[in-house]
Amino acid sequence: MPASQLLMRHWPLLLGLAVLAVPTLIAVATGSWTGEAGVHGPIVLATGIWLFARRWQELLSIQRPGQIGIVLAILVPSLLLYVFGRAFDFLVFQALAFLGVCIAVFYASFGAEAVRRMWFPILYLGFVVPLPLWVITTLTAPMKEYVSYMATWILSHAGYPIVREGVTIYVAQYQLLVEDACAGLNSLISLTAISLFYIYILHNASWRYALFLMLWIVPVALLANLVRVMILVLITYHFGNAAAQGFLHSTAGLVMFATALLGIFVVDGVMSPVRRMLTRTPA
């Protein structure tokens, strides 16, 4: 069935989804997507929809209505959570609930086999849901300690007058606080999302190698953010605090994210022998 016919047949359902989707997307776009932690959101949303669109004919060929009991078990709690999140301005609950509504509608329309085959696009779209602040704060604590310690250790051995106290770095007369953005979590979330997309598209047939490549995401992200912090320290030392906190600070973040993503591509290329070994079919 063409997509246009399906849209015309189920327009009341699509209208209801739009009523839920529009305020959610506006809230996410004006909140999470404006910060570094949510920079991947629009990319994930667009590519996630594309993952469904590219397999549209396959989904139509296996389309079977889902069981009403399972549909209600997913839909009702999701709607209640959406109302709660919307009423009390909890964006995380609102976005997560809308994703649950979409999963319920998808299962009701296409059935369990379609959900099984599309498990990755569904999981991938979960990256659109912003993490709550307390999760970010908790997870960034050890990362900030590690990044600040390593940056201080390397630069001190390079001869720079630098010391560390917790996550605060002192270089010459300047004081720098390693914040969440510099700790690596924000770019780690974005890098994980984009890397998973890359791994799925190129290596979907080899789950062993895909899992192996995923193990490199955290080390690559932390290394890239360590370099980022060191660059900011050097900019501060040589050009002053205003330069580091201004345009160069934002540029360093973009460059380091691109570097981390490139690092995943490099690892993928270098690990070609491992890929051949893990994808080899047993005799």
Side-chain angles (χ1 to χ4, degrees):
M1 180 186 299
S4 57
Q5 293 185 15
L6 192 64
L7 293 176
M8 291 297 296
R9 176 178 297 182
H10 299 287
W11 69 265
L13 175 62
L14 297 175
L15 180 61
L17 286 176
V19 170
L20 301 179
V22 170
T24 302
L25 289 177
I26 292 176
V28 173
T30 56
S32 174
W33 291 357
T34 58
E36 187 177 349
V39 69
H40 61 279
I43 301 175
V44 170
L45 181 60
T47 52
I49 294 174
W50 176 78
L51 288 175
F52 277 89
R54 69 193 286 262
R55 300 178 66 177
W56 181 253
Q57 294 302 321
E58 175 188 349
L59 292 174
L60 290 178
S61 66
I62 61 172
Q63 184 178 16
R64 299 288 186 278
Q67 299 180 19
I68 186 63
I70 297 178
V71 173
L72 293 177
I74 302 174
L75 183 61
V76 173
S78 297
L79 288 175
L80 292 175
L81 184 63
Y82 182 91
V83 172
F84 176 80
R86 184 70 178 160
F88 294 96
D89 198 24
F90 287 137
L91 183 57
V92 178
F93 291 160
Q94 183 179 341
L96 184 63
F98 178 70
L99 179 61
V101 171
C102 291
I103 293 173
V105 172
F106 179 69
Y107 169 76
S109 302
F110 291 91
E113 178 61 20
V115 173
R116 187 189 68 81
R117 294 193 186 188
M118 301 302 292
W119 69 268
F120 176 80
I122 294 173
L123 178 66
Y124 178 66
L125 285 171
F127 280 93
V128 178
V129 179
L131 283 176
L133 182 59
W134 67 268
V135 173
I136 295 178
T137 302
T138 302
L139 294 181
T140 50
M143 293 183 179
K144 288 188 290 186
E145 288 282 348
Y146 169 79
V147 169
S148 58
Y149 169 78
M150 289 303 300
T152 303
W153 185 85
I154 293 172
L155 292 177
S156 65
H157 281 73
Y160 284 91
I162 182 172
V163 294
R164 178 184 70 95
E165 184 178 336
V167 295
T168 302
I169 296 176
Y170 299 91
V171 55
Q173 72 272 28
Y174 301 106
Q175 173 182 324
L176 296 88
L177 176 65
V178 180
E179 299 178 346
D180 293 346
C182 297
L185 178 63
N186 293 344
S187 60
L188 179 60
I189 298 170
S190 301
L191 182 65
T192 300
I194 304 304
S195 297
L196 287 177
F197 178 79
Y198 168 80
I199 293 170
Y200 177 76
I201 293 297
L202 267 68
H203 305 298
N204 185 34
S206 173
W207 67 267
R208 295 180 183 86
Y209 180 70
L211 180 61
F212 170 77
L213 200 58
M214 284 173 58
L215 297 178
W216 287 88
I217 294 176
V218 172
V220 168
L222 288 178
L223 179 60
N225 280 275
L226 172 61
V227 175
R228 173 186 180 176
V229 171
M230 292 173 59
I231 289 176
L232 292 175
V233 171
L234 293 174
I235 290 173
T236 302
Y237 179 77
H238 291 287
F239 302 103
N241 187 63
Q245 298 303 319
F247 175 75
L248 290 178
H249 189 284
S250 300
T251 303
L254 294 175
V255 170
M256 286 307 103
F257 175 75
T259 302
L261 192 58
L262 180 62
I264 294 296
F265 300 158
V266 171
V267 170
D268 186 27
V270 172
M271 295 297 173
S272 295
V274 178
R275 179 171 66 246
R276 288 192 291 268
M277 181 182 67
L278 294 177
T279 57
R280 188 178 303 155
T281 304

